[in-house]
Amino acid sequence: MTPQSNRRTLRRTLLEVALLVGVIAGAAMVGSLSLAMSMRDAVERDSDAFTVEQRIADQIVAQTYEQQLAAYRFLQHPDSAYLQAFRVAGDRAYSEIRGYLFHVLSTDARLQVENIKETHQRFEVAAERIFDLVRQGRMEDARQRLSTLDRDASELDLAVLRFRDARSRQRAEFRHEHQVLATRLRYGLGLVAGALLFLVVVLTTLLRARVLRPLDHLATAARRLGEGDTSARVPEQPYEEFDAVAAGFNQMADRVHAARAKMEVEHDALQLALRNLHRTQEELVQHEKLSAMGQMLAGLAHELNNPLAGILGMSECLRTELAESPHADAQRLGVTLAAPLEVEALRARSLVRSLLSFARKPSGTIEPVGLAAAVSTAVGLRAHAFAQAGKTLHVDVAPELQVLADAQKLQHAVVNVVNNALDAIITGHGTGLRICAERDDDGFVRIEFDDDGSGMTDPAVVFTPFYTTKRSGEGTGLGLALVERFVTEAGGTVTAVNRHPSGARVTIRLRGCASTVRTDAAPRRDSALRRSGPASRPDSEVERILSSTAPSLTAITPLEAIHRSRVLVVDDEPAIREVQRRFLTRAGIDVVVAASGVAAREIILTEHVDLVVSDLRMPGEMDGRALLAWLDSERPDLGRTALIATGDVSGDASLALPLPPHRILNKPFEGKDYVRRVRAALGLVEVG
């Protein structure tokens, strides 16, 4: 590099050229402006002088004519007024002639002014002689002198015309001088323009050589570097600014060259991280959908369970009262209408509880879980889908089997496997799915899902995230991947194989609990979920309901016959209040009802009550929780035995209540269980 002391700066060069151009242009503009202003002033002065001289000439001629007229009038009528008018006009004419003397005149013009003055004086002298002759009475001599006066007046006019001609010649010379100056000004401006053009050409050449060429070097090097040529460099530059830019660019190119190898090494790692990020994002989206569904179901449970409790209770009361009717038609209605209605209400209750159990947030804790209950919850969610598709779902899981797992994640895993099996069964025109569980000798519990569907295209990769053989929009490829993750977290394994001649088998192995004991005499649950539609009902459920008779609810001990218990039922739902009143009345218990916590408090303060059964969620200033707190404070005898009914069966509400589980009634409830819980709270003993 050349030392900086021997290198000119571009800033200084451009400043010097700019100053030179500015000085030349400024001087030319000032000179041109000054000359133009001088010419303008001269022209204005000449125009003003011409106007004034013209006016003076006109005034001189006019005053002379007035004097001549006054002389004629005096000859005709000698009167001193005419003499006075003659002299006034003469003074005016003389004054106008003297005005010429203050103008810038040429020698010829000034001689003409003197001639005008002398001619005017001769005119006045001739007139005075005529006036003297008139005063002497020599009128004839005076008239003869008039020709002399006319001659002098004509000579005065000629003198004025000659003055005008002299001034016209002077004015022509003046215009010629101005034309010469204007020509010189144009030539001067042309020279200035040529000089400025020359400086512009010089400056353009300088900028091209000293600015554009270095910029072109920089642009070429930058383009080569952008195309991947890391050997591109900018040559040494004559100015400090461009040389600094070139040095910076060359250093940057060196760093780019050094970093390129590192970037290539990190590229593969970045691509891998990006794929992992996409997979995690898809999993998060799926998790958020499930979480939102769980929150929606938890809020929906209470709203569903309240009307469902009314339907179940009313159908049970209707069936019981129809069964006690002496009319055969009424009894037949109880069997054909009321009992199936009760069965469907119980079925809806089971479905709601299964949904809430499935949607509950995972605890994150590996603990003993009843396998039969977990499978039952999952199967309950998908049984209707199997029935609609005309497929069977057979479950064979021993009730005593327990595994170490997170209960909610186990349910999710079973649902995912069942969903995939159903899709394969429908695609392959299979008949159904069989789920069975056995305890292996190594302490693990093996759960097998066998279907006779279309099978798997490649069983070895079915647990790979985002792998799917379904069409776009029909699956995410995360179902079995999540199953594998859950099973791995629980310390188990999962495998998938195709079955012969058709279908597939998914096997989940989970650690069994140490307390799990397998005996041949242990009861097993072996149920087949058959095809079902709106018109068909499980006959066994109807028979079980019909076999439950009212006497078991109405049997009272001798102690009760002496003192009938009085129960206060508090609920904002009229149907649920009526159901509870009917249950308790048939059991021989007096009932008083209230629609709010405030109304219940008024009844307790004014009437005798043995037990309070209150809903948990009620509108107004006092709900079930507030009523229970008031009872603990004001009526501890009732607070110790009060029962709380709730439609929130997710467990959150009951966990927040300071009550043992046997004092919490989950809606919807069956009459027999409800009466048993109330009688136990009253301390009554049922008779067989």
Side-chain angles (χ1 to χ4, degrees):
M1 290 289 180
T2 304
Q4 292 185 359
S5 58
N6 298 329
R7 186 180 293 111
R8 290 174 58 84
T9 63
L10 178 62
R11 185 182 296 105
R12 180 178 176 183
T13 302
L14 294 178
L15 182 60
E16 291 175 352
V17 174
L19 287 175
L20 179 61
V21 173
V23 168
I24 296 176
M29 290 181 64
V30 170
S32 300
L33 181 61
S34 176
L35 183 59
M37 292 180 65
S38 299
M39 292 177 63
R40 184 196 64 184
D41 294 341
V43 171
E44 289 179 355
R45 287 195 302 270
D46 182 66
S47 298
D48 294 340
F50 177 77
T51 302
V52 172
E53 291 171 0
Q54 183 68 34
R55 183 186 61 78
I56 292 174
D58 293 339
Q59 288 294 328
I60 292 172
V61 173
Q63 296 302 324
T64 302
Y65 287 155
E66 286 186 9
Q67 285 183 303
Q68 191 175 6
L69 179 61
Y72 285 146
R73 288 178 178 176
F74 184 78
L75 286 175
Q76 294 176 359
H77 302 284
D79 190 352
S80 60
Y82 295 129
L83 292 178
Q84 183 65 26
F86 178 85
R87 293 189 176 96
V88 170
D91 292 339
R92 291 176 181 171
Y94 185 72
S95 176
E96 294 294 341
I97 293 171
R98 285 178 57 84
Y100 279 131
L101 301 178
F102 297 99
H103 290 253
V104 179
L105 303 175
S106 64
T107 303
D108 184 36
R110 192 167 296 279
L111 290 175
Q112 294 299 329
V113 171
E114 291 296 330
N115 187 25
I116 293 173
K117 180 179 177 182
E118 292 176 357
T119 303
H120 183 262
Q121 289 176 351
R122 287 197 305 271
F123 174 79
E124 286 188 334
V125 170
E128 288 293 338
R129 288 177 180 176
I130 292 173
F131 295 155
D132 289 339
L133 292 174
V134 172
R135 283 193 294 269
Q136 293 174 7
R138 299 167 62 184
M139 298 298 296
E140 187 63 29
D141 294 336
R143 289 189 180 89
Q144 291 178 358
R145 291 272 184 178
L146 284 177
S147 59
T148 303
L149 186 65
D150 292 339
R151 185 184 66 249
D152 292 338
S154 299
E155 289 180 359
L156 181 62
D157 288 340
L158 291 174
V160 171
L161 290 176
R162 286 193 292 270
F163 172 76
R164 289 182 177 178
D165 292 340
R167 291 297 291 159
S168 297
R169 290 192 297 272
Q170 185 180 1
R171 196 167 289 108
E173 294 174 357
F174 182 75
R175 290 197 189 95
H176 178 70
E177 292 176 358
H178 278 280
Q179 290 176 355
V180 171
L181 289 176
T183 302
R184 292 176 180 176
L185 179 61
R186 286 195 295 270
Y187 288 153
L189 291 177
L191 291 175
V192 171
L196 291 177
L197 180 61
F198 174 76
L199 290 176
V200 169
V201 172
V202 172
L203 182 59
T204 302
T205 304
L206 179 64
L207 290 176
R208 182 177 180 182
R210 301 300 186 181
V211 177
L212 296 181
R213 187 172 296 126
L215 289 177
D216 184 62
H217 293 162
L218 181 61
T220 302
R223 183 173 61 254
R224 290 175 55 195
L225 184 63
E227 293 173 353
D229 184 6
T230 57
S231 64
R233 296 294 184 273
V234 180
E236 182 179 347
Q237 300 299 319
Y239 291 107
E240 289 183 359
E241 294 87 350
F242 286 118
D243 192 62
V245 172
F249 179 86
N250 293 337
Q251 292 176 3
M252 178 189 69
D254 293 337
R255 290 194 295 269
V256 170
H257 182 74
R260 183 172 184 176
K262 183 179 179 181
M263 290 176 59
E264 291 177 353
V265 172
E266 294 177 349
H267 177 72
D268 295 337
L270 181 61
Q271 290 295 326
L272 179 60
L274 185 60
R275 288 194 295 270
N276 292 335
L277 178 62
H278 284 308
R279 182 179 65 183
T280 304
Q281 183 181 15
E282 293 290 341
E283 293 179 358
L284 287 175
V285 171
Q286 187 71 8
H287 180 269
E288 288 298 325
K289 290 180 179 179
L290 294 176
S291 177
M293 184 181 297
Q295 294 177 2
M296 180 187 68
L297 290 176
L300 191 61
H302 183 265
E303 302 301 326
L304 286 178
N305 279 331
N306 273 333
L308 192 57
I311 295 173
L312 179 59
M314 289 294 186
S315 62
E316 185 175 354
C317 292
L318 178 62
R319 176 184 57 79
T320 303
E321 293 184 10
L322 289 176
E324 295 174 352
S325 174
H327 302 289
D329 291 340
Q331 294 177 4
R332 187 165 50 256
L333 287 176
V335 174
T336 58
L337 295 180
L341 179 62
E342 189 175 349
V343 169
E344 293 303 319
L346 289 172
R347 178 184 171 194
R349 180 184 69 175
S350 176
L351 179 60
V352 170
R353 291 183 177 178
S354 296
L355 284 172
L356 288 172
S357 177
F358 179 78
R360 192 177 304 155
K361 292 182 179 180
S363 64
T365 304
I366 305 299
E367 58 187 359
V369 177
L371 182 59
V375 174
S376 175
T377 297
V379 167
L381 293 175
R382 301 305 297 156
H384 184 65
F386 273 78
Q388 279 190 326
K391 312 301 179 183
T392 61
L393 181 56
H394 189 83
V395 180
D396 184 9
V397 179
E400 74 277 4
L401 286 178
Q402 289 187 326
V403 295
L404 292 175
D406 182 308
Q408 275 65 48
K409 289 186 177 180
L410 176 58
Q411 294 171 5
H412 294 168
V414 174
V415 168
N416 284 340
V417 176
V418 170
N419 284 338
N420 282 350
L422 178 59
D423 293 338
I425 292 170
I426 294 175
T427 303
H429 305 288
T431 59
L433 172 67
R434 178 182 177 86
I435 305 173
C436 60
E438 297 285 345
R439 188 172 187 273
D440 293 338
D441 295 335
D442 57 1
F444 278 77
V445 174
R446 184 178 69 258
I447 313 165
E448 294 181 346
F449 300 81
D450 292 338
D451 68 74
D452 56 352
S454 59
M456 303 177 185
T457 304
D458 188 356
V461 297
V462 293
F463 299 107
T464 303
F466 307 107
Y467 171 79
T468 179
T469 57
K470 300 176 182 177
R471 290 180 299 180
S472 176
E474 295 184 357
T476 63
L478 290 173
L480 293 180
L482 294 176
V483 171
E484 183 185 39
R485 175 175 295 185
F486 152 71
V487 172
T488 303
E489 290 175 353
T493 60
V494 59
T495 58
V497 295
N498 284 325
R499 300 173 60 222
H500 182 76
S502 65
R505 169 179 293 174
V506 176
T507 303
I508 297 177
R509 297 182 76 249
L510 295 172
R511 292 176 296 168
C513 294
S515 60
T516 301
V517 179
R518 170 71 187 274
T519 61
D520 294 338
R524 301 176 59 86
R525 190 183 80 164
D526 189 358
S527 61
L529 301 180
R530 302 180 300 276
R531 302 177 186 178
S532 60
S536 61
R537 300 290 183 267
D539 297 336
S540 59
E541 288 295 318
V542 176
E543 293 173 359
R544 180 187 67 79
I545 290 174
L546 292 176
S547 65
S548 60
T549 56
S552 62
L553 302 181
T554 58
I556 25 180
T557 63
L559 179 62
E560 296 176 64
I562 298 173
H563 172 69
R564 289 174 63 90
S565 299
R566 198 161 192 259
V567 176
L568 172 60
V569 174
V570 188
D571 202 300
D572 61 305
E573 297 282 349
I576 299 179
R577 291 199 303 271
E578 178 62 18
V579 166
Q580 295 180 77
R581 188 190 67 78
R582 286 178 175 270
F583 283 164
L584 296 177
T585 300
R586 292 185 60 83
I589 298 174
D590 291 339
V591 180
V592 59
V593 297
S596 66
V598 175
R601 181 177 59 188
E602 297 299 325
I603 293 174
I604 294 172
L605 291 175
T606 58
E607 301 181 25
H608 170 74
V609 174
D610 295 307
L611 179 67
V612 176
V613 181
S614 174
D615 188 21
L616 177 61
R617 297 184 181 180
M618 292 183 294
E621 61 181 85
M622 180 175 284
D623 59 0
R625 194 185 306 275
L627 178 60
L628 182 62
W630 181 82
L631 290 175
D632 290 338
S633 174
E634 303 297 331
R635 290 293 302 274
D637 55 325
L638 293 177
R640 285 191 297 269
T641 59
L643 302 179
I644 294 295
T646 175
D648 183 4
V649 297
S650 63
D652 296 338
S654 60
L655 290 175
L657 288 172
L659 297 177
H662 68 272
R663 291 177 57 189
I664 299 177
L665 300 172
N666 288 324
K667 298 178 184 178
F669 34 68
E670 295 184 74
K672 187 173 182 179
D673 179 65
Y674 174 81
V675 172
R676 180 181 60 80
R677 299 280 290 277
V678 172
R679 291 172 65 87
L682 289 170
L684 302 178
V685 180
E686 296 185 4
V687 295

